[in-house]
Amino acid sequence: GAAPSNLRPLPVGTLVELRNLSNAALNGQVGTIERAEGERCKYHVKLRDESIKIVGCSKVIGRSRLWDLELTPGHQGWLKWRCEKSCLFVDSKGYHRRFSLHFPLDFQTLQQEGCIHDRPCSWPMLLYLHGTGGSSLFNHSKKTLTSVGLNKAAREFVVVSPMCDWNWKEVPKPWVSELVLALRSALWIDHRRICV
């Protein structure tokens, strides 16, 4: 029979995980699609070591660059110290980058209730750049948890804190922009309101 008309090859640049290959050492490896051969059902996948592997279409699974994102807040509706989610982002070169994620205090309640008029809720995103691998916004000092500004951020923003590998005098690495672009496509981020 004819191939289904709604199926398309994964686009170039898609992050994929290799699966079910006869070379077991490659299973679980992560790479990026460099080229798709739709007629042969093959992908050219560039791995982190810069090597290219040609694999069948059924041997890859598309993955999100937001690798282990869970939409359950680490808090129960009130601000707590060190309760942000530790998350993994895979950048365009295949490197693993860590970031902390804080959901607004009413995130879970509003998501479960369907927000207003059965539309998903979205919140502004605050990108907290703190330099030299440091802490996240809500991890800096226990004393600051009582500040008005910190409580406002906890209630009204999705706060993203990249684990920086640079200091405050340097320009952030390109992967931070990639992270922001990946997150801004989430339904729960108001892509028009991103603050640094």
Side-chain angles (χ1 to χ4, degrees):
S5 62
N6 62 342
L7 291 181
R8 303 278 182 272
L10 294 170
V12 169
T14 300
L15 183 71
V16 294
E17 182 178 349
L18 302 181
R19 296 266 177 100
N20 302 320
L21 295 169
S22 57
N23 180 350
L26 291 174
N27 291 327
Q29 293 272 338
V30 176
T32 305
I33 293 179
E34 292 285 306
R35 191 170 130 216
E37 296 180 40
E39 64 284 347
R40 287 184 49 212
C41 195
K42 299 280 183 190
Y43 289 115
H44 296 239
V45 179
K46 185 177 189 178
L47 301 177
R48 275 176 51 174
D49 65 3
E50 302 291 320
S51 66
I52 303 284
K53 301 295 179 202
I54 300 173
V55 297
C57 295
S58 64
K59 304 296 183 180
V60 299
I61 183 167
R63 295 296 303 249
S64 169
R65 293 194 181 282
L66 300 167
W67 194 265
D68 62 351
L69 190 64
E70 280 186 47
L71 296 182
T72 53
H75 54 73
Q76 286 81 31
W78 64 87
L79 185 56
K80 291 172 23 182
W81 194 50
R82 295 187 171 178
C83 275
E84 293 166 291
K85 294 277 188 183
S86 177
C87 302
L88 177 67
F89 174 71
V90 181
D91 71 14
S92 61
K93 295 185 190 261
Y95 290 103
H96 294 188
R97 310 295 186 168
R98 304 282 333 160
F99 68 99
S100 293
L101 183 65
H102 167 83
F103 291 104
L105 297 179
D106 61 354
F107 181 85
Q108 196 159 14
T109 303
L110 290 175
Q111 289 295 312
Q112 289 170 349
E113 292 174 0
C115 266
I116 304 164
H117 308 295
D118 291 326
R119 290 179 46 217
C121 288
S122 63
W123 288 268
M125 183 171 84
L126 175 63
L127 180 66
Y128 177 66
L129 299 174
H130 46 80
T132 316
S135 62
S136 61
L137 181 62
F138 303 101
N139 216 3
H140 183 66
S141 167
K142 214 172 193 178
K143 287 190 276 184
T144 61
L145 290 183
T146 59
S147 81
V148 174
L150 204 68
N151 276 278
K152 181 172 180 64
R155 280 190 317 275
E156 298 179 16
F157 289 85
V158 172
V159 180
V160 178
S161 304
M163 294 297 128
C164 304
D165 55 353
W166 63 89
N167 68 44
W168 63 273
K169 295 177 189 177
E170 299 172 318
V171 174
K173 301 285 172 80
W175 71 266
V176 175
S177 295
E178 294 176 20
L179 173 63
V180 170
L181 288 173
L183 284 167
R184 74 178 277 213
S185 65
L187 289 175
W188 37 270
I189 297 285
D190 182 345
H191 67 276
R192 297 163 300 185
R193 297 187 296 160
I194 297 177
C195 309
V196 180

